[in-house]
mmCIF file of all heavy atoms in Angstrom:
data_model
loop_
_atom_site.group_PDB
_atom_site.id
_atom_site.type_symbol
_atom_site.label_atom_id
_atom_site.label_comp_id
_atom_site.label_asym_id
_atom_site.label_seq_id
_atom_site.Cartn_x
_atom_site.Cartn_y
_atom_site.Cartn_z
ATOM 1 N N GLU F 6 -42.985 -33.275 -1.416
ATOM 2 C CA GLU F 6 -42.161 -34.335 -0.832
ATOM 3 C C GLU F 6 -41.650 -35.322 -1.879
ATOM 4 O O GLU F 6 -40.629 -35.974 -1.679
ATOM 5 C CB GLU F 6 -42.980 -35.088 0.238
ATOM 6 C CG GLU F 6 -43.458 -34.209 1.384
ATOM 7 C CD GLU F 6 -42.330 -33.516 2.121
ATOM 8 O OE1 GLU F 6 -41.199 -34.056 2.134
ATOM 9 O OE2 GLU F 6 -42.568 -32.428 2.673
ATOM 10 N N MET F 7 -42.327 -35.439 -3.020
ATOM 11 C CA MET F 7 -41.931 -36.425 -4.016
ATOM 12 C C MET F 7 -40.559 -36.111 -4.638
ATOM 13 O O MET F 7 -39.908 -36.982 -5.186
ATOM 14 C CB MET F 7 -42.982 -36.513 -5.120
ATOM 15 C CG MET F 7 -44.304 -37.123 -4.669
ATOM 16 S SD MET F 7 -44.117 -38.791 -3.996
ATOM 17 C CE MET F 7 -43.624 -39.667 -5.485
ATOM 18 N N SER F 8 -40.127 -34.848 -4.551
ATOM 19 C CA SER F 8 -38.835 -34.488 -5.131
ATOM 20 C C SER F 8 -37.677 -34.842 -4.211
ATOM 21 O O SER F 8 -36.525 -34.709 -4.598
ATOM 22 C CB SER F 8 -38.802 -32.984 -5.448
ATOM 23 O OG SER F 8 -38.840 -32.224 -4.253
ATOM 24 N N GLY F 9 -37.977 -35.264 -2.984
ATOM 25 C CA GLY F 9 -36.927 -35.639 -2.044
ATOM 26 C C GLY F 9 -36.440 -34.495 -1.190
ATOM 27 O O GLY F 9 -35.644 -34.687 -0.268
ATOM 28 N N PHE F 10 -36.910 -33.289 -1.479
ATOM 29 C CA PHE F 10 -36.534 -32.109 -0.697
ATOM 30 C C PHE F 10 -37.635 -31.089 -0.907
ATOM 31 O O PHE F 10 -38.132 -30.925 -2.019
ATOM 32 C CB PHE F 10 -35.191 -31.549 -1.179
ATOM 33 C CG PHE F 10 -34.514 -30.651 -0.185
ATOM 34 C CD1 PHE F 10 -33.680 -31.167 0.788
ATOM 35 C CD2 PHE F 10 -34.712 -29.268 -0.217
ATOM 36 C CE1 PHE F 10 -33.045 -30.339 1.703
ATOM 37 C CE2 PHE F 10 -34.091 -28.430 0.699
ATOM 38 C CZ PHE F 10 -33.250 -28.971 1.656
ATOM 39 N N ASN F 11 -38.017 -30.367 0.138
ATOM 40 C CA ASN F 11 -39.181 -29.487 0.048
ATOM 41 C C ASN F 11 -38.830 -28.098 0.570
ATOM 42 O O ASN F 11 -38.438 -27.941 1.730
ATOM 43 C CB ASN F 11 -40.345 -30.064 0.855
ATOM 44 C CG ASN F 11 -41.662 -29.350 0.565
ATOM 45 O OD1 ASN F 11 -41.680 -28.181 0.203
ATOM 46 N ND2 ASN F 11 -42.766 -30.063 0.730
ATOM 47 N N ALA F 12 -38.973 -27.103 -0.294
ATOM 48 C CA ALA F 12 -38.653 -25.728 0.081
ATOM 49 C C ALA F 12 -39.479 -25.239 1.261
ATOM 50 O O ALA F 12 -39.021 -24.409 2.055
ATOM 51 C CB ALA F 12 -38.886 -24.804 -1.119
ATOM 52 N N ASP F 13 -40.701 -25.745 1.397
ATOM 53 C CA ASP F 13 -41.611 -25.244 2.430
ATOM 54 C C ASP F 13 -41.451 -25.932 3.775
ATOM 55 O O ASP F 13 -41.857 -25.369 4.803
ATOM 56 C CB ASP F 13 -43.061 -25.392 1.948
ATOM 57 C CG ASP F 13 -43.339 -24.555 0.710
ATOM 58 O OD1 ASP F 13 -43.018 -23.348 0.732
ATOM 59 O OD2 ASP F 13 -43.839 -25.104 -0.281
ATOM 60 N N THR F 14 -40.876 -27.121 3.787
ATOM 61 C CA THR F 14 -40.804 -27.864 5.049
ATOM 62 C C THR F 14 -39.383 -28.159 5.520
ATOM 63 O O THR F 14 -39.206 -28.666 6.624
ATOM 64 C CB THR F 14 -41.557 -29.204 4.924
ATOM 65 O OG1 THR F 14 -40.951 -29.993 3.895
ATOM 66 C CG2 THR F 14 -43.028 -28.974 4.602
ATOM 67 N N CYS F 15 -38.356 -27.856 4.706
ATOM 68 C CA CYS F 15 -36.990 -28.169 5.128
ATOM 69 C C CYS F 15 -36.595 -27.322 6.333
ATOM 70 O O CYS F 15 -37.041 -26.183 6.496
ATOM 71 C CB CYS F 15 -36.010 -27.953 3.976
ATOM 72 S SG CYS F 15 -35.814 -26.238 3.446
ATOM 73 N N GLY F 16 -35.774 -27.887 7.193
ATOM 74 C CA GLY F 16 -35.266 -27.142 8.338
ATOM 75 C C GLY F 16 -34.170 -26.178 7.912
ATOM 76 O O GLY F 16 -33.423 -26.448 6.969
ATOM 77 N N ILE F 17 -34.088 -25.047 8.607
ATOM 78 C CA ILE F 17 -33.044 -24.052 8.327
ATOM 79 C C ILE F 17 -32.362 -23.667 9.631
ATOM 80 O O ILE F 17 -33.025 -23.262 10.591
ATOM 81 C CB ILE F 17 -33.626 -22.799 7.636
ATOM 82 C CG1 ILE F 17 -34.214 -23.166 6.268
ATOM 83 C CG2 ILE F 17 -32.558 -21.716 7.497
ATOM 84 C CD1 ILE F 17 -34.949 -22.028 5.578
ATOM 85 N N ILE F 18 -31.074 -23.812 9.675
ATOM 86 C CA ILE F 18 -30.278 -23.415 10.835
ATOM 87 C C ILE F 18 -29.350 -22.288 10.403
ATOM 88 O O ILE F 18 -28.620 -22.416 9.414
ATOM 89 C CB ILE F 18 -29.458 -24.597 11.387
ATOM 90 C CG1 ILE F 18 -30.389 -25.723 11.851
ATOM 91 C CG2 ILE F 18 -28.536 -24.144 12.522
ATOM 92 C CD1 ILE F 18 -29.657 -26.980 12.289
ATOM 93 N N THR F 19 -29.362 -21.187 11.145
ATOM 94 C CA THR F 19 -28.530 -20.031 10.812
ATOM 95 C C THR F 19 -27.477 -19.821 11.886
ATOM 96 O O THR F 19 -27.814 -19.681 13.071
ATOM 97 C CB THR F 19 -29.390 -18.756 10.670
ATOM 98 O OG1 THR F 19 -30.403 -18.986 9.690
ATOM 99 C CG2 THR F 19 -28.548 -17.572 10.246
ATOM 100 N N MET F 20 -26.221 -19.820 11.473
ATOM 101 C CA MET F 20 -25.099 -19.584 12.392
ATOM 102 C C MET F 20 -24.173 -18.548 11.750
ATOM 103 O O MET F 20 -23.187 -18.883 11.100
ATOM 104 C CB MET F 20 -24.352 -20.892 12.666
ATOM 105 C CG MET F 20 -25.196 -21.947 13.364
ATOM 106 S SD MET F 20 -24.284 -23.438 13.762
ATOM 107 C CE MET F 20 -23.988 -24.091 12.121
ATOM 108 N N VAL F 21 -24.541 -17.280 11.896
ATOM 109 C CA VAL F 21 -23.835 -16.191 11.230
ATOM 110 C C VAL F 21 -23.299 -15.213 12.269
ATOM 111 O O VAL F 21 -24.016 -14.835 13.198
ATOM 112 C CB VAL F 21 -24.767 -15.456 10.240
ATOM 113 C CG1 VAL F 21 -24.058 -14.263 9.621
ATOM 114 C CG2 VAL F 21 -25.240 -16.409 9.148
ATOM 115 N N ASP F 22 -22.060 -14.799 12.106
ATOM 116 C CA ASP F 22 -21.433 -13.813 12.982
ATOM 117 C C ASP F 22 -21.019 -12.607 12.146
ATOM 118 O O ASP F 22 -21.162 -12.611 10.920
ATOM 119 C CB ASP F 22 -20.213 -14.434 13.668
ATOM 120 C CG ASP F 22 -19.859 -13.715 14.973
ATOM 121 O OD1 ASP F 22 -20.402 -12.613 15.211
ATOM 122 O OD2 ASP F 22 -19.033 -14.258 15.740
ATOM 123 N N GLU F 23 -20.484 -11.575 12.793
ATOM 124 C CA GLU F 23 -19.954 -10.435 12.067
ATOM 125 C C GLU F 23 -18.582 -10.761 11.494
ATOM 126 O O GLU F 23 -17.933 -11.723 11.915
ATOM 127 C CB GLU F 23 -19.831 -9.224 12.998
ATOM 128 C CG GLU F 23 -21.158 -8.685 13.478
ATOM 129 C CD GLU F 23 -20.992 -7.461 14.359
ATOM 130 O OE1 GLU F 23 -19.910 -7.313 14.964
ATOM 131 O OE2 GLU F 23 -21.931 -6.660 14.443
ATOM 132 N N GLN F 24 -18.136 -9.939 10.529
ATOM 133 C CA GLN F 24 -16.793 -10.108 9.996
ATOM 134 C C GLN F 24 -15.777 -9.936 11.128
ATOM 135 O O GLN F 24 -15.916 -9.056 11.975
ATOM 136 C CB GLN F 24 -16.507 -9.086 8.891
ATOM 137 C CG GLN F 24 -15.143 -9.282 8.242
ATOM 138 C CD GLN F 24 -14.861 -8.273 7.140
ATOM 139 O OE1 GLN F 24 -14.976 -7.067 7.352
ATOM 140 N NE2 GLN F 24 -14.490 -8.753 5.968
ATOM 141 N N SER F 25 -14.776 -10.791 11.126
ATOM 142 C CA SER F 25 -13.714 -10.722 12.124
ATOM 143 C C SER F 25 -13.104 -9.329 12.178
ATOM 144 O O SER F 25 -12.770 -8.739 11.150
ATOM 145 C CB SER F 25 -12.624 -11.747 11.786
ATOM 146 O OG SER F 25 -11.398 -11.413 12.378
ATOM 147 N N ALA F 26 -12.938 -8.801 13.384
ATOM 148 C CA ALA F 26 -12.330 -7.478 13.541
ATOM 149 C C ALA F 26 -10.900 -7.465 13.022
ATOM 150 O O ALA F 26 -10.420 -6.451 12.503
ATOM 151 C CB ALA F 26 -12.371 -7.072 15.017
ATOM 152 N N ASP F 27 -10.206 -8.594 13.139
ATOM 153 C CA ASP F 27 -8.823 -8.666 12.660
ATOM 154 C C ASP F 27 -8.753 -8.563 11.145
ATOM 155 O O ASP F 27 -7.834 -7.939 10.593
ATOM 156 C CB ASP F 27 -8.167 -9.973 13.119
ATOM 157 C CG ASP F 27 -7.945 -10.017 14.618
ATOM 158 O OD1 ASP F 27 -8.140 -8.975 15.270
ATOM 159 O OD2 ASP F 27 -7.562 -11.085 15.135
ATOM 160 N N ILE F 28 -9.717 -9.194 10.454
ATOM 161 C CA ILE F 28 -9.772 -9.074 8.991
ATOM 162 C C ILE F 28 -10.234 -7.671 8.604
ATOM 163 O O ILE F 28 -9.660 -7.035 7.722
ATOM 164 C CB ILE F 28 -10.714 -10.138 8.394
ATOM 165 C CG1 ILE F 28 -10.139 -11.550 8.623
ATOM 166 C CG2 ILE F 28 -10.953 -9.885 6.898
ATOM 167 C CD1 ILE F 28 -11.061 -12.669 8.189
ATOM 168 N N ALA F 29 -11.270 -7.167 9.296
ATOM 169 C CA ALA F 29 -11.847 -5.868 8.952
ATOM 170 C C ALA F 29 -10.819 -4.744 9.023
ATOM 171 O O ALA F 29 -10.836 -3.827 8.196
ATOM 172 C CB ALA F 29 -13.023 -5.560 9.865
ATOM 173 N N MET F 30 -9.901 -4.798 9.994
ATOM 174 C CA MET F 30 -8.932 -3.711 10.129
ATOM 175 C C MET F 30 -8.002 -3.620 8.915
ATOM 176 O O MET F 30 -7.516 -2.546 8.574
ATOM 177 C CB MET F 30 -8.115 -3.867 11.417
ATOM 178 C CG MET F 30 -7.194 -5.072 11.462
ATOM 179 S SD MET F 30 -6.405 -5.287 13.090
ATOM 180 C CE MET F 30 -5.271 -3.918 13.088
ATOM 181 N N GLY F 31 -7.775 -4.749 8.233
ATOM 182 C CA GLY F 31 -6.949 -4.735 7.032
ATOM 183 C C GLY F 31 -7.716 -4.356 5.792
ATOM 184 O O GLY F 31 -7.157 -3.771 4.858
ATOM 185 N N VAL F 32 -9.014 -4.699 5.773
ATOM 186 C CA VAL F 32 -9.843 -4.351 4.617
ATOM 187 C C VAL F 32 -10.242 -2.877 4.683
ATOM 188 O O VAL F 32 -10.218 -2.165 3.685
ATOM 189 C CB VAL F 32 -11.096 -5.249 4.547
ATOM 190 C CG1 VAL F 32 -11.965 -4.870 3.352
ATOM 191 C CG2 VAL F 32 -10.695 -6.714 4.458
ATOM 192 N N ASN F 33 -10.591 -2.407 5.875
ATOM 193 C CA ASN F 33 -11.016 -1.008 6.031
ATOM 194 C C ASN F 33 -9.911 -0.021 5.669
ATOM 195 O O ASN F 33 -10.173 1.038 5.106
ATOM 196 C CB ASN F 33 -11.464 -0.752 7.466
ATOM 197 C CG ASN F 33 -12.723 -1.519 7.825
ATOM 198 O OD1 ASN F 33 -13.460 -1.966 6.952
ATOM 199 N ND2 ASN F 33 -12.961 -1.687 9.115
ATOM 200 N N MET F 34 -8.687 -0.367 6.004
ATOM 201 C CA MET F 34 -7.559 0.507 5.688
ATOM 202 C C MET F 34 -6.361 -0.342 5.310
ATOM 203 O O MET F 34 -5.837 -1.100 6.119
ATOM 204 C CB MET F 34 -7.208 1.421 6.865
ATOM 205 C CG MET F 34 -6.048 2.374 6.549
ATOM 206 S SD MET F 34 -5.744 3.604 7.819
ATOM 207 C CE MET F 34 -7.132 4.699 7.560
ATOM 208 N N ALA F 35 -5.937 -0.231 4.054
ATOM 209 C CA ALA F 35 -4.823 -1.026 3.547
ATOM 210 C C ALA F 35 -3.516 -0.614 4.203
ATOM 211 O O ALA F 35 -3.374 0.485 4.748
ATOM 212 C CB ALA F 35 -4.711 -0.867 2.033
ATOM 213 N N LEU F 36 -2.557 -1.497 4.117
ATOM 214 C CA LEU F 36 -1.231 -1.225 4.664
ATOM 215 C C LEU F 36 -0.651 0.050 4.065
ATOM 216 O O LEU F 36 -0.029 0.855 4.763
ATOM 217 C CB LEU F 36 -0.306 -2.416 4.379
ATOM 218 C CG LEU F 36 1.111 -2.338 4.961
ATOM 219 C CD1 LEU F 36 1.064 -2.350 6.483
ATOM 220 C CD2 LEU F 36 1.955 -3.511 4.453
ATOM 221 N N GLU F 37 -0.884 0.254 2.758
ATOM 222 C CA GLU F 37 -0.364 1.465 2.104
ATOM 223 C C GLU F 37 -0.956 2.723 2.730
ATOM 224 O O GLU F 37 -0.260 3.732 2.900
ATOM 225 C CB GLU F 37 -0.696 1.452 0.605
ATOM 226 C CG GLU F 37 0.009 0.354 -0.183
ATOM 227 C CD GLU F 37 -0.834 -0.900 -0.333
ATOM 228 O OE1 GLU F 37 -1.646 -1.180 0.575
ATOM 229 O OE2 GLU F 37 -0.695 -1.582 -1.345
ATOM 230 N N ALA F 38 -2.258 2.680 3.083
ATOM 231 C CA ALA F 38 -2.906 3.842 3.694
ATOM 232 C C ALA F 38 -2.341 4.105 5.081
ATOM 233 O O ALA F 38 -2.147 5.259 5.480
ATOM 234 C CB ALA F 38 -4.416 3.620 3.761
ATOM 235 N N LYS F 39 -2.076 3.042 5.812
ATOM 236 C CA LYS F 39 -1.491 3.206 7.149
ATOM 237 C C LYS F 39 -0.109 3.840 7.069
ATOM 238 O O LYS F 39 0.328 4.529 7.982
ATOM 239 C CB LYS F 39 -1.419 1.845 7.847
ATOM 240 C CG LYS F 39 -2.787 1.255 8.164
ATOM 241 C CD LYS F 39 -2.680 -0.187 8.639
ATOM 242 C CE LYS F 39 -4.054 -0.795 8.823
ATOM 243 N NZ LYS F 39 -3.998 -2.235 9.150
ATOM 244 N N LYS F 40 0.577 3.592 5.948
ATOM 245 C CA LYS F 40 1.907 4.177 5.740
ATOM 246 C C LYS F 40 1.842 5.465 4.911
ATOM 247 O O LYS F 40 2.865 5.976 4.474
ATOM 248 C CB LYS F 40 2.809 3.168 5.023
ATOM 249 C CG LYS F 40 3.148 1.939 5.851
ATOM 250 C CD LYS F 40 4.070 1.002 5.063
ATOM 251 C CE LYS F 40 4.502 -0.187 5.908
ATOM 252 N NZ LYS F 40 5.392 -1.105 5.145
ATOM 253 N N SER F 41 0.601 5.951 4.687
ATOM 254 C CA SER F 41 0.370 7.178 3.909
ATOM 255 C C SER F 41 0.911 7.074 2.488
ATOM 256 O O SER F 41 1.465 8.019 1.933
ATOM 257 C CB SER F 41 0.997 8.385 4.619
ATOM 258 O OG SER F 41 0.438 8.554 5.891
ATOM 259 N N GLU F 42 0.753 5.885 1.870
ATOM 260 C CA GLU F 42 1.214 5.679 0.502
ATOM 261 C C GLU F 42 0.080 5.751 -0.512
ATOM 262 O O GLU F 42 0.247 5.442 -1.670
ATOM 263 C CB GLU F 42 1.914 4.311 0.378
ATOM 264 C CG GLU F 42 3.197 4.211 1.186
ATOM 265 C CD GLU F 42 3.789 2.814 1.168
ATOM 266 O OE1 GLU F 42 3.230 1.946 0.457
ATOM 267 O OE2 GLU F 42 4.797 2.592 1.852
ATOM 268 N N THR F 43 -1.120 6.149 -0.084
ATOM 269 C CA THR F 43 -2.232 6.313 -1.013
ATOM 270 C C THR F 43 -2.739 7.745 -0.943
ATOM 271 O O THR F 43 -2.323 8.532 -0.080
ATOM 272 C CB THR F 43 -3.410 5.374 -0.661
ATOM 273 O OG1 THR F 43 -3.997 5.811 0.586
ATOM 274 C CG2 THR F 43 -2.955 3.943 -0.509
ATOM 275 N N ASP F 44 -3.653 8.095 -1.849
ATOM 276 C CA ASP F 44 -4.290 9.410 -1.748
ATOM 277 C C ASP F 44 -5.306 9.368 -0.608
ATOM 278 O O ASP F 44 -5.408 8.391 0.123
ATOM 279 C CB ASP F 44 -4.937 9.806 -3.082
ATOM 280 C CG ASP F 44 -5.958 8.778 -3.566
ATOM 281 O OD1 ASP F 44 -6.600 8.156 -2.710
ATOM 282 O OD2 ASP F 44 -6.107 8.607 -4.800
ATOM 283 N N ASN F 45 -6.055 10.426 -0.449
ATOM 284 C CA ASN F 45 -6.979 10.521 0.684
ATOM 285 C C ASN F 45 -8.378 10.017 0.368
ATOM 286 O O ASN F 45 -9.301 10.236 1.141
ATOM 287 C CB ASN F 45 -7.056 11.973 1.170
ATOM 288 C CG ASN F 45 -5.747 12.429 1.789
ATOM 289 O OD1 ASN F 45 -5.094 11.648 2.485
ATOM 290 N ND2 ASN F 45 -5.364 13.675 1.518
ATOM 291 N N ASN F 46 -8.544 9.359 -0.773
ATOM 292 C CA ASN F 46 -9.836 8.785 -1.143
ATOM 293 C C ASN F 46 -10.056 7.539 -0.298
ATOM 294 O O ASN F 46 -9.347 6.550 -0.432
ATOM 295 C CB ASN F 46 -9.845 8.447 -2.634
ATOM 296 C CG ASN F 46 -11.186 7.906 -3.095
ATOM 297 O OD1 ASN F 46 -11.953 7.374 -2.306
ATOM 298 N ND2 ASN F 46 -11.454 8.055 -4.389
ATOM 299 N N ILE F 47 -11.054 7.596 0.593
ATOM 300 C CA ILE F 47 -11.236 6.497 1.548
ATOM 301 C C ILE F 47 -11.519 5.169 0.859
ATOM 302 O O ILE F 47 -11.094 4.116 1.305
ATOM 303 C CB ILE F 47 -12.344 6.848 2.571
ATOM 304 C CG1 ILE F 47 -12.347 5.832 3.727
ATOM 305 C CG2 ILE F 47 -13.722 6.896 1.891
ATOM 306 C CD1 ILE F 47 -13.192 6.260 4.907
ATOM 307 N N ASN F 48 -12.231 5.211 -0.290
ATOM 308 C CA ASN F 48 -12.517 3.972 -1.004
ATOM 309 C C ASN F 48 -11.253 3.369 -1.597
ATOM 310 O O ASN F 48 -11.165 2.176 -1.817
ATOM 311 C CB ASN F 48 -13.554 4.220 -2.108
ATOM 312 C CG ASN F 48 -14.159 2.921 -2.606
ATOM 313 O OD1 ASN F 48 -14.461 2.033 -1.819
ATOM 314 N ND2 ASN F 48 -14.349 2.814 -3.913
ATOM 315 N N ARG F 49 -10.259 4.215 -1.869
ATOM 316 C CA ARG F 49 -8.999 3.738 -2.428
ATOM 317 C C ARG F 49 -8.139 3.074 -1.359
ATOM 318 O O ARG F 49 -7.135 2.450 -1.679
ATOM 319 C CB ARG F 49 -8.217 4.909 -3.031
ATOM 320 C CG ARG F 49 -8.839 5.447 -4.288
ATOM 321 C CD ARG F 49 -8.474 4.610 -5.489
ATOM 322 N NE ARG F 49 -9.382 4.874 -6.580
ATOM 323 C CZ ARG F 49 -9.607 4.029 -7.560
ATOM 324 N NH1 ARG F 49 -9.034 2.855 -7.577
ATOM 325 N NH2 ARG F 49 -10.444 4.317 -8.530
ATOM 326 N N GLU F 50 -8.488 3.251 -0.099
ATOM 327 C CA GLU F 50 -7.620 2.804 0.974
ATOM 328 C C GLU F 50 -7.929 1.392 1.448
ATOM 329 O O GLU F 50 -7.270 0.889 2.348
ATOM 330 C CB GLU F 50 -7.706 3.789 2.148
ATOM 331 C CG GLU F 50 -7.181 5.177 1.785
ATOM 332 C CD GLU F 50 -7.281 6.165 2.925
ATOM 333 O OE1 GLU F 50 -7.918 5.819 3.934
ATOM 334 O OE2 GLU F 50 -6.736 7.271 2.807
#
């Protein structure tokens, strides 16, 4: 407690959701892949 903050006693609040589906659809498949402008390597898409 003397340090003004304590790793063992501080409160922790978690408010985490999944990645937005709207963002995920663009990250999972790029616009170029949707237009068949990339190769078939899924990681490249």
Side-chain angles (χ1 to χ4, degrees):
E6 300 302 333
M7 291 302 293
S8 67
F10 199 87
N11 192 332
D13 297 309
T14 61
C15 67
I17 297 174
I18 299 175
T19 304
M20 297 183 292
V21 176
D22 203 348
E23 293 182 335
Q24 184 180 53
S25 158
D27 291 351
I28 294 174
M30 66 186 289
V32 179
N33 294 341
M34 181 172 286
L36 184 65
E37 294 94 330
K39 293 170 185 174
K40 293 181 176 180
S41 300
E42 295 174 4
T43 68
D44 57 32
N45 293 321
N46 183 336
I47 191 168
N48 196 42
R49 290 279 162 203
E50 296 179 351

